[in-house]
Amino acid sequence: MIIAVTRRLPVVATELLEGAGLTVRMHDADDPPSREALLSLVDGADGLICLLSDRVDEALLDAAGPGLRVAANYAVGLDNVDLEACRARGVAVAHTPGVLTDATADLAWALLLAVARRVREGDSLVRSGGWSGWSPLQLLGASLAGRTFGVVGLGRIGAAAAQRARGFGMDVVYTGRSRREREEVRLEARFVPLGELLEVSDVVSLHCPSTPETRHLIDAEALGRMRSSAILVNTARGDVVDEAALVDALREGQIGGAGLDVFEREPVVHEGLVGLENVVLAPHLGSATVETRGAMARMVAEAVIAVLEGGTVEHLAVPPGGGA
């Protein structure tokens, strides 16, 4: 059986697949395949390991043919996969929840601290040779203890980010589609509507999925409700934020700063963001640790093997055969 792999992954994935007697057909590069190359890659495949940049839709399923039994997404999110189309064709869909929780929460905090303490500006000052020595008023940032940390989406990653906020002595508020009462107790968090969260938070950290309802959730109106000193952090999905509106808000001082790991049209970044001093930009590094990326590779490979061998898989968004 043939397994199409759309990108070069940690070697554990290939080792597991080939060890199970499967033939790996890989797009052996770090850059994503073109759409044409992707459709050719999946032709006749029994299994697929794909990334967020790979659109798994009717056209891809047609190109793969009726033999495709499983698609494993090398990500926790599934906004690139047409789940209903897969369900209709009996194609199981797996992903990698849980394993990247701590790595992504850590990255959210790395961005937050870099913005709050003006680390990017300080680094540039030192590297440019422009630093003339310690000064009492140089690059003054913001303290976090005693401030309010607002979480949009208190799932695994949002809760992990909030736990870190408690460690920094911050109060936690959150919003989402439903209350998380157990997490409220554990984190001493308070559930509030989005509008109130935006108004009371010193940090707004985004951890919600990309859906039609969350597209541009943070738009000009939302940014206008935030405090002028507030910091926006996005390690969720780029289209949750209206980047053009964010550029305007940062330029005009409507908010204090932003830390972004994801963008609306990756890898394209809004040109207005690049020249701003009060924003820190990262190239989608949320899960980028050796341990996490290796664990993700293991999970998708094991999911493909289990489905093809008739075993059980815990992290399935669509079960084998497309059943409920």
Side-chain angles (χ1 to χ4, degrees):
M1 289 187 282
I2 297 172
I3 311 303
V5 182
T6 67
R7 203 78 58 84
R8 186 183 295 147
L9 297 179
V11 69
V12 63
T14 303
E15 290 175 345
L16 286 169
L17 293 169
E18 292 181 341
L22 302 171
T23 299
V24 176
R25 181 196 295 162
M26 182 183 294
H27 174 70
D28 194 13
D30 293 325
D31 294 327
S34 67
R35 182 64 174 175
E36 181 180 5
L38 176 61
L39 297 183
S40 176
L41 182 74
V42 302
D43 183 15
D46 300 277
L48 168 66
I49 294 178
C50 52
L51 276 69
L52 279 173
S53 55
D54 305 318
R55 195 167 70 252
V56 180
D57 55 12
E58 292 276 6
L60 182 139
L61 296 174
D62 285 340
L68 185 67
R69 292 172 54 192
V70 56
N73 209 35
Y74 188 75
V76 63
L78 288 162
D79 41 291
N80 61 308
V81 180
D82 186 334
L83 298 179
E84 289 310 310
C86 290
R87 192 184 310 277
R89 294 174 184 243
V91 177
V93 178
H95 59 142
T96 62
V99 69
L100 45 68
T101 297
D102 285 326
T104 306
D106 285 348
L107 196 279
W109 267 84
L111 290 170
L112 169 54
L113 289 170
V115 176
R117 297 303 303 271
R118 304 177 69 177
V119 173
R120 190 196 67 79
E121 296 165 81
D123 181 82
S124 295
L125 181 65
V126 173
R127 290 178 187 275
S128 69
W131 185 43
S132 58
W134 186 88
S135 172
L137 301 180
Q138 187 174 75
L139 293 177
L140 300 182
S143 297
L144 296 174
R147 304 293 179 87
T148 298
F149 187 83
V151 183
V152 179
L154 198 69
R156 290 185 181 93
I157 299 172
Q163 183 176 3
R164 287 153 175 75
R166 294 293 298 151
F168 273 77
M170 301 184 76
D171 297 321
V172 175
V173 297
Y174 80 98
T175 195
R177 290 177 295 183
S178 60
R179 290 186 61 172
R180 305 279 181 154
E181 295 181 358
R182 184 175 298 177
E183 296 291 16
E184 284 182 24
V185 174
R186 184 173 72 87
L187 299 168
E188 299 180 51
R190 183 166 59 94
F191 180 83
V192 297
L194 176 62
E196 182 178 343
L197 181 144
L198 295 170
E199 291 168 0
V200 304
S201 296
D202 298 288
V203 177
V204 175
S205 193
L206 304 178
H207 302 283
C208 53
S210 172
T211 68
E213 293 73 29
T214 61
R215 175 175 170 77
H216 286 188
L217 182 71
I218 306 301
D219 56 10
E221 180 182 359
L223 291 162
R225 300 184 73 165
M226 291 175 63
R227 296 179 172 184
S228 60
S229 59
I231 296 170
L232 176 70
V233 178
N234 189 11
T235 55
R237 288 291 179 265
D239 63 0
V240 175
V241 177
D242 182 339
E243 282 185 7
L246 177 60
V247 169
D248 290 341
L250 290 167
R251 282 176 174 165
E252 296 167 10
Q254 282 187 310
I255 67 172
L260 307 174
D261 187 44
V262 289
F263 306 91
E264 276 195 81
R265 294 173 295 278
E266 293 184 17
V268 177
V269 178
H270 193 294
E271 62 181 6
L273 291 170
V274 176
L276 292 173
E277 294 286 337
N278 55 346
V279 61
V280 175
L281 311 172
H284 207 138
L285 295 176
S287 62
T289 69
V290 172
E291 296 83 0
T292 301
R293 292 280 172 89
M296 291 169 67
R298 177 176 292 277
M299 285 179 75
V300 291
E302 289 179 341
V304 166
I305 294 167
V307 170
L308 294 180
E309 293 183 348
T312 58
V313 185
E314 293 183 4
H315 43 283
L316 285 176
V318 176

